[in-house]
Amino acid sequence: MTILSRSLLSLSLVGLLAMSFAKPTRVIFFGDSITQAGVSPGGYIDRLKKMMPADQFELIGAGIGGNKIYDLYLRMEDDVLAKQPDVVVVWVGVNDVWHKSSFGTGTDPDKFVKFYEAVIKKLKAANARVILCTPATIGEKTDFSNQQDGDLNQYSQLIRDLAKRQNLPLVDLRKAFLDYNLKNNPDNKEKGVLTSDRVHLNEAGNQFVAEQMQKALMESGK
């Protein structure tokens, strides 16, 4: 065997070894009870695992019920950064809005942005790619008569602006849910189209969110 042949063989073996040891992209979904339920059978993360190539993506849920943006900030070291993610999908905001009227413990817009920026900064410092999501819905009526529509629209715009300023990909679930309901909710029902209770996802909602997330993850991998 010539020196050139041996060199080419060595390079081929190195390439094969590199491929065999290549780790799948580790994705952590960081959020509230919607994400917590997402890992259950039929949940959006569970569905995504069946939709994405298992050798290319490792999907992990890190959702806790009732969480708001500052809860995410306080637990991100243990629940996210310690797991060394390649990609973090942040989906939060419903409780920051919802808890204003239900418990009086929501998050004011200025504090929401500051905590969100702090979350993004820490994730970027850990070399994680960050994908932002807008809060989807608290009521599925399409005529903007749901009680929290105004606040949800405001907080969704804050997240859109953050994504633009930080040059981050955005899954605009707020817009996607409204567009879907405009086509599929002719009776203007407040629940039962994509949600079971105005907020949490039903079967159709989990599939819909999984599809939106799949698009974003495939784009992030390019």
Side-chain angles (χ1 to χ4, degrees), residues 39-52:
V39 299
S40 301
Y44 79 88
I45 299 170
D46 178 62
R47 289 170 183 263
L48 261 177
K49 288 180 178 180
K50 299 175 177 69
M51 295 162 62
M52 307 288 287

Side-chain angles (χ1 to χ4, degrees), residues 13-71:
L13 288 171
V14 168
L16 286 169
L17 284 169
M19 288 174 65
S20 65
F21 287 111
K23 293 181 179 179
T25 299
R26 177 171 290 175
V27 183
I28 294 183
F29 295 88
F30 196 25
D32 51 34
S33 59
I34 302 171
T35 294
Q36 186 176 26
V39 299
S40 301
Y44 79 88
I45 299 170
D46 178 62
R47 289 170 183 263
L48 261 177
K49 288 180 178 180
K50 299 175 177 69
M51 295 162 62
M52 307 288 287
D55 61 332
Q56 296 179 34
F57 291 92
E58 178 189 9
L59 308 182
I60 300 171
I64 293 181
N67 268 198
K68 295 182 273 291
I69 186 63
Y70 59 80
D71 297 301

Side-chain angles (χ1 to χ4, degrees), residues 9-175:
L9 179 60
S10 296
L11 285 170
S12 297
L13 288 171
V14 168
L16 286 169
L17 284 169
M19 288 174 65
S20 65
F21 287 111
K23 293 181 179 179
T25 299
R26 177 171 290 175
V27 183
I28 294 183
F29 295 88
F30 196 25
D32 51 34
S33 59
I34 302 171
T35 294
Q36 186 176 26
V39 299
S40 301
Y44 79 88
I45 299 170
D46 178 62
R47 289 170 183 263
L48 261 177
K49 288 180 178 180
K50 299 175 177 69
M51 295 162 62
M52 307 288 287
D55 61 332
Q56 296 179 34
F57 291 92
E58 178 189 9
L59 308 182
I60 300 171
I64 293 181
N67 268 198
K68 295 182 273 291
I69 186 63
Y70 59 80
D71 297 301
L72 267 57
Y73 178 78
L74 292 173
R75 67 181 177 89
M76 66 188 305
E77 290 286 347
D78 292 337
D79 291 358
V80 177
L81 299 180
K83 297 174 183 174
Q84 299 181 316
D86 300 299
V87 180
V88 179
V89 180
V90 184
W91 187 13
V92 72
V94 161
N95 293 317
D96 298 270
V97 169
W98 199 6
H99 288 188
K100 284 184 177 184
S101 58
S102 56
F103 302 108
T105 58
T107 310
D108 292 335
D110 58 336
K111 291 180 181 177
F112 183 81
V113 172
K114 286 179 181 177
F115 272 106
Y116 214 132
E117 286 175 337
V119 166
I120 293 169
K121 184 177 181 180
K122 291 194 82 167
L123 292 174
K124 282 186 169 182
N127 296 315
R129 300 196 299 277
V130 187
I131 298 174
L132 307 187
C133 303
T134 53
T137 186
I138 306 176
E140 298 191 71
K141 292 181 179 180
T142 57
D143 60 357
F144 295 107
S145 63
N146 305 292
Q147 184 183 352
Q148 283 89 9
D149 275 340
D151 279 345
L152 270 185
N153 290 336
Q154 178 188 8
Y155 283 59
S156 293
Q157 190 57 49
L158 292 174
I159 294 170
R160 294 181 190 114
D161 294 343
L162 264 174
K164 188 173 182 180
R165 285 199 305 274
Q166 302 269 358
N167 194 29
L168 296 173
L170 173 74
V171 183
D172 198 343
L173 293 171
R174 179 68 178 153
K175 182 179 185 301

